[in-house]
Amino acid sequence: MCRFIHSIAASSLAMIDGSVDALLTAMTCMMTAAASVIEAALTDEAGTASMGAQQSAMRRQLCAMSVAHAEAVVAAAAFQPAPSDIDVAAVLLGAIWHGPSALASSPPVQQALQSLAERLGVAAEGSEAAAVAALLHREPQPGDGLELAQAAVTRSCAYLRCANLAGEGGPAAGQGTSSLRCSKCKVAWYCGTACSHGDWRAGHRRMCGALGSARLAGQESTGR
């Protein structure tokens, strides 16, 4: 669904009245369903070490979904006709709720929150407007960029704005025949050259070294 929204944005197609709201509703339902399934799995009986690794992987997948979800909401908010600010705020808040804490401080999300706060104005406590205003006061932390980058690279294509609906590498990073891996950090995977170049310009160039260092540190800690 996230890739579908980005493909629409890339083609500059005009949307039919109500269709953007339907897309946002569908995204919310999918994220809620995924979070419910993962929560049920995580609250199941604690098992072997392999089960612990599986649970950790599921948490990373949910974080990756939430980061991509937030990027797609920001793209959908620019569609014409535009969805209601209340709907955009509710869907964006859902992505932040399920995602890494750093998501609220990422530049595109902060810009979207600022615009929403200005348009929604002051509202009663507990409303979307109050929640948006509260998130605007989160102080960025030193590790925010790495946390978001690590969430993104969990996907089969690490470029969050990927609009390639047909050529994605596979269900997990590096499992597709057309998958490309960043030659520098050896962590991020992409479905093709266009996405690898796009992600480099979008911010991977700033986090590539940190991702590579984190990979090496993880290998050393496990004795690999």
Side-chain angles (χ1 to χ4, degrees):
M1 180 63 76
C2 293
R3 298 195 193 288
F4 176 57
I5 288 177
H6 287 301
S7 69
I8 294 173
S11 60
S12 301
L13 294 175
M15 301 295 293
I16 302 172
D17 286 345
S19 57
V20 183
D21 297 317
L23 284 174
L24 293 178
T25 300
M27 288 179 63
T28 301
C29 292
M30 290 179 181
M31 175 62 78
T32 302
S36 298
V37 170
I38 291 175
E39 181 181 358
L42 294 179
T43 54
D44 201 356
E45 293 184 10
T48 61
S50 61
M51 177 59 73
Q54 183 179 6
Q55 291 176 340
S56 178
M58 285 189 289
R59 290 191 181 95
R60 291 196 300 270
Q61 289 290 346
L62 185 61
C63 284
M65 286 180 64
S66 67
V67 175
H69 187 122
E71 288 267 1
V73 173
V74 172
F79 287 173
Q80 294 298 326
S84 72
D85 291 332
I86 291 294
D87 289 342
V88 173
V91 181
L92 188 57
L93 290 170
I96 295 172
W97 175 262
H98 294 298
S101 58
L103 182 55
S105 298
S106 68
V109 171
Q110 275 288 302
Q111 292 173 9
L113 291 172
Q114 184 65 52
S115 298
L116 286 169
E118 293 172 355
R119 292 196 297 270
L120 290 173
V122 179
E125 184 177 355
S127 68
E128 284 83 358
V132 167
L135 286 172
L136 285 172
H137 293 89
R138 181 187 184 276
E139 290 293 332
Q141 301 300 312
D144 281 355
L146 180 59
E147 184 180 19
L148 291 174
Q150 288 175 325
V153 298
T154 303
R155 295 154 53 90
S156 53
C157 182
Y159 185 37
L160 297 175
R161 301 169 196 173
C162 173
N164 185 2
L165 297 178
E168 182 167 345
Q175 291 187 1
T177 56
S178 61
S179 294
L180 299 175
R181 185 169 68 171
C182 176
S183 60
K184 295 182 180 297
C185 68
K186 294 180 171 36
V187 177
W189 288 86
Y190 302 99
C191 64
T193 304
C195 283
S196 67
H197 291 175
D199 195 40
W200 183 262
R201 294 190 297 270
H204 181 69
R205 58 185 174 184
R206 293 189 294 273
M207 299 309 305
C208 185
L211 282 170
S213 297
R215 176 182 64 84
L216 293 175
Q219 290 178 345
E220 291 176 359
S221 67
T222 57
R224 293 175 59 189

